[in-house]
Amino acid sequence: LSASVCSGQTVSLSAVAALKGLPANTPMSYQWEQSTNGTTWSNVTGAGASGTTTTGSVTYTVPATLAQTTHYRLKYSYVTACGGVTVKATTNAAITINELPKVTKVEATPGYILNGASTPISFTISGTANATVTYTLNGGAPLTAQINGSGVATVPYTTTQDVTLNVTQIEK
């Protein structure tokens, strides 16, 4: 089981524990666990991360602050009909975080206009590799540039006056 979400989004995990052969409403203690490698587990903290239920069904909402791919599983225990304690864990679910595309820097070379002379300018847009940037020059019609695999797009422009490049959108 796995899911992919964009950075800043939440996802809810639900699990149903099979309490076979036990009377209805048998109390079950649970604890959500997390791991960045799927091998070493630690307890999740916060609302809904642990508790007791009599339905065998629990839900945990992964916070929007999750910054990397993380595995989750539910560890649960209950007292059997004969008085023994059974501890089990569900199959883990991997939540993959897809970083939102971004522009990190816009530079103009040269950074000045030569006394009203026709001056070629090269705008360099740095950001998320292979993203498409929509921009305007001096508030004009929307134009697009493709950021290459190295994270750079170049926009050539020739002008006799000051020019401003405004990024209006970025998509991947």
Side-chain angles (χ1 to χ4, degrees), residues 27-146:
M28 177 190 82
S29 297
Y30 68 90
Q31 173 67 58
W32 284 98
E33 295 180 322
Q34 64 185 7
S35 170
T36 55
N37 62 16
T39 304
T40 305
W41 296 91
S42 62
N43 289 343
V44 173
T45 59
S50 64
T52 302
T53 182
T54 57
T55 65
S57 178
V58 295
T59 299
Y60 173 70
T61 301
V62 177
T65 55
L66 191 65
Q68 63 182 335
T69 297
T70 305
H71 301 263
Y72 287 87
R73 72 180 182 187
L74 180 68
K75 192 172 183 180
Y76 60 97
S77 64
Y78 55 89
V79 177
T80 66
C82 296
V85 175
T86 298
V87 178
K88 295 185 177 185
T90 60
T91 303
N92 77 61
I95 307 300
T96 301
I97 304 301
N98 297 318
E99 184 178 330
L100 295 173
K102 61 186 168 198
V103 169
T104 56
K105 183 168 45 169
V106 177
E107 290 182 301
T109 306
Y112 55 90
I113 306 298
L114 303 173
N115 293 328
S118 182
T119 306
I121 296 176
S122 179
F123 288 99
T124 302
I125 303 171
S126 302
T128 302
N130 304 312
T132 300
V133 175
T134 303
Y135 65 94
T136 62
L137 294 170
N138 287 344
L143 302 166
T144 60
Q146 183 71 36

